[in-house]
Each structure stands twice: as structure tokens, then as C-alpha cells.
Amino acid sequence: EMTKIKAQFDEINVVGEFTRDKTYNKRTDLLGINLKVGYKNYGLMTKFDGNIFTGLMGKTFETLKEQMNFTYTTVQSIDGQYGSQVEGNSSRSKFNGLIGMLERKEIDIAVADLSIDLARVQCADFGGYIIEDPSHAVILRPDRNLLFSAYFSPFNSVSKISLLFFS
């Protein structure tokens, strides 16, 4: 008998009998455990209306809740922030916001569109990517009398010469 196992990026075919042990079942069935969920209402991404989560992140979380058999109680971000490092903060926590709440074990999980960086990874486990959101730089629209040389003025002389020869 062949069983397909789908992972995030790959599909693996296993030949032979495939049984899931009790440890595996605990990963997919949380047996009705109640999780403390921190959140920050933010536009179309995450909204909590007092009853259920909506928005892209909220609906994803509600789907996980149904599939994995758990319940939750909610706690809004203590200071309305996602979580930045705060200098001079107590020795118990290096972060504010949702990340700080995770770090201090005030919540079990955060439902928010959190970005991942090295400092945050040191105190919180990010379960994987749900969406990729490319970042863009926004600058003031230049005046209509913009000179062609304005595109090259940020570069030093060596860079300008390299652009001419290697482009």
C-alpha cells in the first residue's frame, strides 16, 4: 500500500503500512485544550469581533481551531503593539506587545501578521509562512523638471563607471 504524505513544500510517497502513533495524533488533535490567544486588530488581516476571528489571519486561525480541536480565550495586545525590543525593560522581558506577551508566557499563541526577525526568533517560535508580503520603498514623487542624471547621482564615480561598462 502506498501512502502520500504532503509536507509544506514536498510530497513523499511511503510504501508499506503507515500507522500514526499517539504522539502524532496529539499534533493534530489538541483534545479540546483551551489556549490563551493574543491578538491585535489590524484591517483586513486580523479582526476579533468578540466571538470569532475574521480577516486573512483570523480565518486561518479559526480553521486551525476546527481541524485541531481546541478552544481559546482572547487577550488583546497589552499595549496595542506587535512587539519591538525595548531597552531598559525588566529582566523578565525584552519586548513589548504580542511578542513580549509570548515571552512572558501571558499568552500561548499570537494571531497577527507578525514579521520574522532574528531578535523575535530568539523568544518566539514562528510556525511557518502563511503569506508572503513584499515590502516596498515609497518616496516623494519627483518634480517634472527631473534631470536624467538624478538616477545616477546617488552612486560614486567608480559605481557609475562600472554601470557603464558592465550593463
Side-chain angles (χ1 to χ4, degrees):
E1 179 181 338
M2 185 177 292
T3 305
K4 283 187 180 180
I5 302 171
K6 290 186 179 180
Q8 186 172 359
F9 299 108
D10 298 313
E11 190 173 283
I12 302 168
N13 292 315
V14 179
V15 178
E17 188 174 329
F18 182 75
T19 58
R20 293 181 173 158
D21 64 5
K22 292 178 184 178
T23 305
Y24 180 86
N25 289 335
K26 286 180 184 175
R27 286 186 269 167
T28 58
D29 184 357
L30 296 180
L31 306 172
I33 191 171
N34 187 275
L35 299 174
K36 277 189 191 174
V37 178
Y39 70 96
K40 174 180 166 52
N41 281 331
Y42 182 72
L44 299 173
M45 297 303 284
T46 308
K47 281 275 195 206
F48 184 69
D49 68 4
N51 190 28
I52 63 167
F53 282 101
T54 59
L56 180 63
M57 303 301 289
K59 286 181 182 178
T60 302
F61 180 74
E62 289 291 338
T63 300
L64 286 172
K65 178 191 131 204
E66 296 301 319
Q67 295 294 315
M68 298 181 74
N69 185 26
F70 64 84
T71 61
Y72 62 84
T73 54
T74 58
V75 180
Q76 197 160 6
S77 174
I78 196 164
D79 54 8
Q81 302 297 315
Y82 288 109
S84 300
Q85 281 187 297
V86 180
E87 296 298 324
N89 208 359
S90 73
S91 60
R92 281 188 49 217
S93 180
K94 297 176 186 170
F95 288 86
N96 63 6
L98 292 169
I99 299 293
M101 293 170 75
L102 284 165
E103 184 182 30
R104 294 184 301 274
K105 299 186 183 334
E106 295 169 9
I107 58 175
D108 300 309
I109 190 168
V111 178
D113 53 319
L114 294 166
S115 59
I116 302 170
D117 66 25
L118 182 60
R120 286 179 172 179
V121 169
Q122 303 301 315
C123 69
D125 183 22
F126 290 82
Y129 295 99
I130 295 173
I131 61 167
E132 273 189 42
D133 184 23
S135 298
H136 296 84
V138 180
I139 60 172
L140 180 66
R141 183 178 298 255
D143 139 354
R144 290 180 187 237
N145 299 326
L146 181 66
L147 299 174
F148 182 71
S149 64
Y151 292 103
F152 298 102
S153 63
F155 299 105
N156 65 25
S157 300
V158 174
S159 299
K160 289 177 191 174
I161 293 168
S162 297
L163 284 171
L164 289 174
F165 284 111
F166 297 110
S167 57

